[in-house]
Amino acid sequence: MPPIFGALEAGGTKMVCAAATAQGQILDRLTIPTRTPQETIPELLAFFRDKGLSALGVGSFGPLELDPRSPDYGVIQAAPKASWRGCPILALLRDGLGLPVGLDTDVNAAALGETLWGSARGTACSVYITVGTGVGLGVVIGGRPHHGMLHPEGGHVPVTRQSGDPLDPGVCDFHPSCLEGLASGPAIARRWGRPAQELGDRPEVWALEANYLAQAVCGYIMTLSPERVILGGGVMHQPQLLPLVRRETARLLGGYLPGRGLADLDTYIVAPGLGDDQGILGCVQLAADAYLASGGAL
């Protein structure tokens, strides 16, 4: 019988659980709010226990310790959600289910899903940026999520505050002028007094947002040289925003690095190809990898 894999996209606002085949066919799904670990973990275990799973893949909010050599492997670090700081999410799920568990950040999982099945398919290096409650960066290099010292924290790169921006400082607790602090959904709401979804008719909102996102995109292009840049998350549901980011990126690049993908930003800076399923599908692959590493066979 082909294995069934569990997938958990663990976000600071909600937890999306699924059971799926190795080919990415989702068989069952549940979304629950992210409360405290004491409340949330038992609900997650209850969903996964009766699914006949062979392994679980988890894409979690962080910062997250991803070095298997570390005694804190699988522990959520200095997360904005205070009740989850120090939570050993990997051990709780692995021991609670008695299954192999593959773990990465939520945005790395999304980047992996887009690489395997979505807008980055066929590329070896791509970046996925999610703009919502926070801002996260997932990086795929050589077809695999990149970790390095910890994992990419591209939502916290500094950006140059634009003249006339009424938000000072930004909403990040750690940095006065980082991308997340100035371009996330909460930053937009605090700056303009209304949530992003109610500001579609305000061009000044999206011109400023596009500038901050384009600053970061230019930095990622210069440092990582990705073959594709994908912008997702709730804020990017504004249809006018992606074209503005492309235009502002072109302006900031100033004609540098001509040719290749940058010759056509409409196909280089793109929306996700998987709707809102890229994170879950990336987690399916994390589960498959953990299953194979444990001696299983597909």
Side-chain angles (χ1 to χ4, degrees):
M1 180 176 176
I4 301 298
F5 296 126
L8 170 60
E9 188 177 11
T13 302
K14 63 182 179 180
M15 300 273 174
V16 182
C17 314
T21 67
Q23 293 73 37
Q25 179 188 1
I26 297 175
L27 306 173
D28 196 5
R29 184 195 302 255
L30 174 70
T31 299
I32 62 173
T34 303
R35 295 184 284 269
T36 66
Q38 294 76 15
E39 296 170 292
T40 306
I41 295 293
E43 291 185 76
L44 301 177
L45 295 175
F47 172 82
F48 288 120
R49 277 186 179 131
D50 65 351
K51 299 298 185 292
L53 303 180
S54 295
L56 175 67
V58 179
S60 175
F61 69 96
L64 189 64
E65 179 56 74
L66 292 175
D67 185 350
R69 301 167 297 182
S70 169
D72 288 332
Y73 176 49
V75 175
I76 295 174
Q77 306 291 309
K81 208 167 183 69
S83 66
W84 287 81
R85 293 173 189 167
C87 175
I89 188 170
L90 173 64
L92 291 173
L93 294 170
R94 181 188 59 208
D95 297 347
L97 296 172
L99 295 172
V101 177
L103 178 69
D104 214 315
T105 66
D106 50 355
V107 69
N108 257 359
L112 180 60
E114 287 290 335
T115 295
L116 294 172
W117 290 291
S119 291
R121 190 170 184 176
T123 67
C125 179
S126 63
V127 298
Y128 178 89
I129 307 154
T130 182
V131 190
T133 304
V135 179
L137 175 71
V139 178
V140 170
I141 298 175
R144 300 300 305 166
H146 175 65
H147 295 159
M149 178 182 66
L150 183 65
H151 50 73
E153 280 288 348
H156 293 274
V157 296
V159 293
T160 300
R161 182 184 300 277
Q162 294 302 284
S163 175
D165 184 351
L167 182 63
D168 187 10
V171 300
C172 176
D173 291 337
F174 298 93
H175 314 114
S177 298
C178 70
L179 182 64
E180 180 170 294
L182 295 178
S184 64
I188 294 170
R190 185 178 297 180
R191 177 184 290 117
W192 304 108
R194 293 160 58 193
Q197 61 267 29
E198 296 180 9
L199 294 165
D201 60 347
R202 298 275 299 276
E204 69 275 20
V205 172
W206 306 109
L208 185 62
E209 181 73 4
N211 175 269
Y212 290 139
L213 293 175
Q215 286 188 53
V217 167
C218 287
Y220 306 148
I221 291 171
M222 296 299 185
T223 54
L224 297 168
S225 196
E227 297 166 76
R228 191 138 312 132
V229 174
I230 304 169
L231 282 157
V235 170
M236 295 305 304
H237 290 170
Q238 289 288 329
Q240 72 273 40
L241 183 54
L242 187 56
L244 289 172
V245 173
R246 291 180 183 130
R247 187 177 69 190
E248 190 67 0
T249 299
R251 185 185 71 82
L252 293 176
L253 287 173
Y256 195 63
L257 300 177
R260 296 188 182 264
L262 295 177
D264 182 7
L265 291 186
D266 287 351
T267 59
Y268 182 73
I269 301 175
V270 299
L274 299 172
D276 291 324
D277 283 341
Q278 58 272 0
I280 280 294
L281 292 175
C283 291
V284 171
Q285 185 60 44
L286 294 176
D289 291 344
Y291 177 63
L292 292 172
S294 72
L298 296 178

